[in-house]
Amino acid sequence: QILAKLANDPQPSKVRVVRHNQQPILLADDYYLMTVTASDAPPDKKPLIQAYVWAKHFERSLQAAKLERAPAHTREMLLLTGLTLLMAAALHISLGRIWRRSVRRSPVDAAGDASKVRPVPILSTSLRLWLLRLAIWAIALNHISTLFPFLRQQRYSITKEFVTGTRSPLFDLGTQSYTAIDILFFVGLIGGLFLSVRFSTQFLSTHVLKRTSLKRGSREVITQSFRYSAFSLGMFLLLLIWGVDLRSI
């Protein structure tokens, strides 16, 4: 709070070291900052020397903070913000044009061979387009938030509260507590299991069963049975790894 108050003061600030009860103390414009003890200094450095190192660091940081709050610097950052938004908008529009050109193309090759149809992607083209656009604006806004001290402070506070919230236990299951990070990790494992089962089922159907003399109906039964069995077994193993007691099952 003291450093924030001094940073908003346009007058130069001086950080000095004084001794009190045989211990060095850091003062910034006569405001008490901290007492440097032996535990704060490396083994090969005395607390007084460490205090002078930190005093120079605080003074340089305060000087940089005051410059960032000067009107001339603010105008430069506003100009840079406008350029960043223009670049993000240009990329946003360019991606849209590339997407519109791609959807006009036929999935069949130029010779008209329908056997060379492109495989269906995991994510649709439009969804990938919006994810790319979202990433572009997220990067642009993150860059803008680093240009202004107030936005940097707000981003730090939001990030700190988010990290603290995700690490706090949400619920207990037996003797184990689970946080939001644990739940997101578990959801990611389920997504990985789903993709693994999907690809392995496709491999079984197109590369293994097609080479056999089984009829199409029999191949479909085997494929569906493999899909449901593999997913059920995978979920069972994931729940065991996650710490859920499944002994009754």
Side-chain angles (χ1 to χ4, degrees), residues 67-82:
L67 289 175
E68 286 185 340
R69 288 160 174 79
H73 185 272
T74 302
R75 287 192 294 268
E76 292 179 2
M77 294 303 102
L78 287 174
L79 178 61
L80 188 56
T81 298

Side-chain angles (χ1 to χ4, degrees), residues 56-74:
K56 291 181 180 179
H57 173 73
F58 277 125
E59 199 164 302
R60 287 195 299 266
S61 298
L62 281 172
Q63 183 179 4
K66 292 176 186 292
L67 289 175
E68 286 185 340
R69 288 160 174 79
H73 185 272
T74 302

